[in-house]
């Protein structure tokens, strides 16, 4: 009886201990995720998502900006904080008057432009600086942040232009610590896993799903798979009619996974669309159940990285490392 009571007492203590730890964890999480100071808005227009990402992390946002919303996840979160004028291609080709007209309407005289040697690997001819000829003779001051000398230099340049020099080194240190931590998580040996990356879109009004496969040699290959020593085998699902647009191609069926035989399937975008499609595909094509990624439940929802969220890159890389290394 004493032994029984002792065991019960130990179990009760363990449960209480776990509950207390959980409460402490939640308290710490809520403290870390507490409200942060809203960024200061300055009277300027910024062109380039890396530039805006750095500025935001320095506590500053422009009144208006030109960014690739499909590449920079922060865009949707900041729609009410800064007016999005369109992507750097749109403001030159489709709506060439949007930047000078917005500047005139809002009384803005300052345009800050991102310079980058490889601004977009999907559209090599697109450069934020392409807007400059459309701004000449408009009484505007044009300034640049050059990313060709590395991120640390770009942070210091941005901080100087925004009068936030005191925050530059702290941001650089935070980034470097996060990057070092991510690199420590990398496996000692290359994993050699085959990966398929599926981007999903779910149409709430109809329940329809749309799928795109990320083609090889894109952003995920360069920034996620190569550090892990993995290979993108998504092209195995490409048909003769498939057209690659912005690094992806559409697919209607997923039975091509039996050819690709991925060890891991990564879901980007709206994962519910991919989950629904996979469930339907396995039901229709039972052979898919033997695909290693499906058989071993190695299917993960992860954020896409398009070299826009430059400050957030280490955190995103860690998520990919933890998923694929599992």
């Amino acid at each position: 009886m004493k032994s029984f009571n002792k065991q019960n007492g130990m179990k009760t203590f363990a449960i209480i201990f776990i509950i207390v730890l959980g409460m402490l964890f939640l308290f710490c999480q809520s403290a870390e995720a507490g409200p942060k100071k809203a960024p200061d808005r300055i009277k300027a227009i910024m062109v380039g998502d890396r530039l805006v990402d750095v500025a935001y992390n320095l506590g500053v946002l422009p009144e208006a900006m030109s960014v690739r919303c499909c590449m920079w996840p922060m865009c949707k979160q900041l729609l009410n904080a800064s007016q999005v004028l369109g992507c750097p291609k749109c403001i030159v080709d489709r709506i060439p008057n949007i930047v000078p007209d917005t500047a005139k309407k809002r009384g803005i005289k300052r345009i800050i432009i991102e310079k980058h040697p490889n601004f977009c690997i999907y559209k090599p001819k697109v450069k934020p600086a392409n807007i400059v000829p459309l701004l000449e003779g408009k009484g505007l001051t044009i300034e640049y942040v050059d990313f060709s000398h590395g991120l640390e230099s770009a942070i210091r340049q941005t901080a100087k232009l925004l009068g936030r020099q005191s925050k530059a080194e702290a941001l650089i240190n935070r980034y470097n610590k996060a990057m070092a931590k991510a690199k420590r998580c990398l496996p000692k040996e290359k994993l050699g896993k085959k990966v398929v990356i599926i981007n999903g879109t779910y149409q709430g009004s109809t329940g329809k799903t749309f799928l795109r496969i990320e083609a090889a040699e894109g952003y995920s290959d360069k920034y996620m798979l190569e550090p892990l020593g993995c290979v993108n085998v998504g092209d195995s699902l490409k048909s003769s009619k498939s057209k690659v647009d912005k690094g992806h191609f559409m697919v209607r069926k997923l039975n091509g996974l039996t050819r690709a035989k991925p060890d891991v399937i990564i879901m980007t975008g709206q994962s519910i669309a991919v989950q629904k499609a996979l469930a339907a595909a396995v039901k229709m094509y039972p052979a898919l159940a033997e695909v290693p990624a499906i058989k071993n439940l190695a299917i993960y929802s992860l954020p896409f990285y398009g070299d826009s969220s430059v400050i957030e890159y280490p955190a995103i890389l860690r998520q990919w490392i933890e998923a694929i290394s599992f």
Side-chain angles (χ1 to χ4, degrees):
M1 182 63 72
K2 287 183 179 180
S3 175
F4 177 79
N5 289 337
K6 186 176 181 181
Q7 288 178 358
N8 275 355
M10 291 293 288
K11 287 180 180 178
T12 302
F13 175 78
I15 291 169
I16 293 172
F17 182 69
I18 291 169
I19 291 172
V20 171
L21 279 179
M23 290 174 68
L24 285 171
F25 175 77
L26 289 173
F27 175 79
C28 292
Q29 288 291 96
S30 62
E32 289 180 0
K36 297 181 180 179
K37 183 180 180 296
D40 297 326
R41 280 215 316 172
I42 63 167
K43 218 161 188 58
I45 294 174
M46 292 185 184
V47 185
D49 20 80
R50 296 178 186 86
L51 166 63
V52 182
D53 192 72
V54 171
Y56 173 73
N57 279 278
L58 289 168
V60 175
L61 278 177
E63 280 202 18
M65 58 185 175
S66 170
V67 295
R68 298 171 296 172
C69 276
C70 61
M71 305 289 285
W72 186 50
M74 289 298 295
C75 179
K76 292 179 181 178
Q77 298 178 40
L78 300 174
L79 284 176
N80 294 326
S82 180
Q83 182 184 356
V84 178
L85 304 178
C87 72
K89 176 177 171 59
C90 294
I91 63 170
V92 173
D93 295 341
R94 283 205 306 112
I95 38 178
N97 296 321
I98 188 74
V99 173
D101 286 354
T102 300
K104 184 178 180 180
K105 182 179 178 181
R106 290 174 172 259
I108 295 171
K109 298 293 184 183
R110 193 179 186 196
I111 313 292
I112 308 176
I113 297 174
E114 171 189 329
K115 292 179 71 175
H116 195 285
N118 299 298
F119 178 72
C120 183
I121 62 174
Y122 297 154
K123 306 283 184 180
K125 293 182 180 180
V126 175
K127 305 286 182 185
N130 291 349
I131 189 67
V132 173
L134 300 174
L135 305 177
E136 293 173 349
K138 306 287 185 181
L140 298 167
T141 300
I142 300 173
E143 299 165 300
Y144 298 93
V145 172
D146 190 350
F147 279 74
S148 65
H149 302 296
L151 183 57
E152 289 189 17
S153 172
I155 291 173
R156 292 190 180 101
Q157 292 174 58
T158 306
K160 186 176 181 181
L161 288 176
L162 302 178
R164 294 296 191 279
Q165 292 94 324
S166 61
K167 293 187 176 183
E169 298 310 314
L171 179 57
I172 290 169
N173 289 336
R174 174 160 66 87
Y175 173 86
N176 286 337
K177 284 181 181 179
M179 196 68 240
K181 196 171 185 179
K183 287 181 177 179
R184 286 197 297 270
C185 294
L186 284 169
K188 293 181 180 179
E189 297 181 2
K190 302 297 184 182
L191 296 177
K193 292 184 179 182
K194 295 186 293 183
V195 181
V196 169
I197 304 159
I198 311 174
N199 177 270
T201 300
Y202 176 75
Q203 195 175 71
S205 59
T206 64
K208 291 182 179 179
T209 60
F210 302 91
L211 306 178
R212 299 186 306 153
I213 304 295
E214 187 171 348
E217 299 182 5
Y219 282 106
S220 292
D221 285 30
K222 182 177 180 179
Y223 292 98
M224 302 297 163
L225 300 185
E226 286 181 12
L228 284 158
C230 295
V231 58
N232 181 353
V233 293
D235 284 357
S236 298
L237 282 79
K238 192 189 298 180
S239 71
S240 57
K241 297 180 181 179
S242 296
K243 181 181 178 182
V244 177
D245 180 49
K246 295 180 181 178
H248 295 73
F249 58 89
M250 299 287 294
V251 291
R252 292 185 179 275
K253 299 178 181 180
L254 292 174
N255 54 317
L257 289 170
T258 56
R259 296 191 302 273
K261 295 183 174 61
D263 301 297
V264 179
I265 293 173
I266 300 298
M267 302 180 293
T268 62
Q270 294 173 292
S271 58
I272 184 175
V274 184
Q275 290 165 338
K276 281 188 66 178
L278 279 172
V282 172
K283 190 174 181 179
M284 185 173 290
Y285 305 102
L288 283 171
E290 296 303 313
V291 170
I294 297 173
K295 186 177 182 179
N296 299 321
L297 302 179
I299 304 170
Y300 305 100
S301 177
L302 294 170
F304 171 76
Y305 180 76
D307 195 27
S308 285
S309 306
V310 286
I311 301 299
E312 293 75 27
Y313 171 56
I316 297 172
L317 175 60
R318 277 192 67 191
Q319 291 183 56
W320 282 67
I321 293 170
E322 288 170 7
I324 296 178
S325 300
F326 186 74

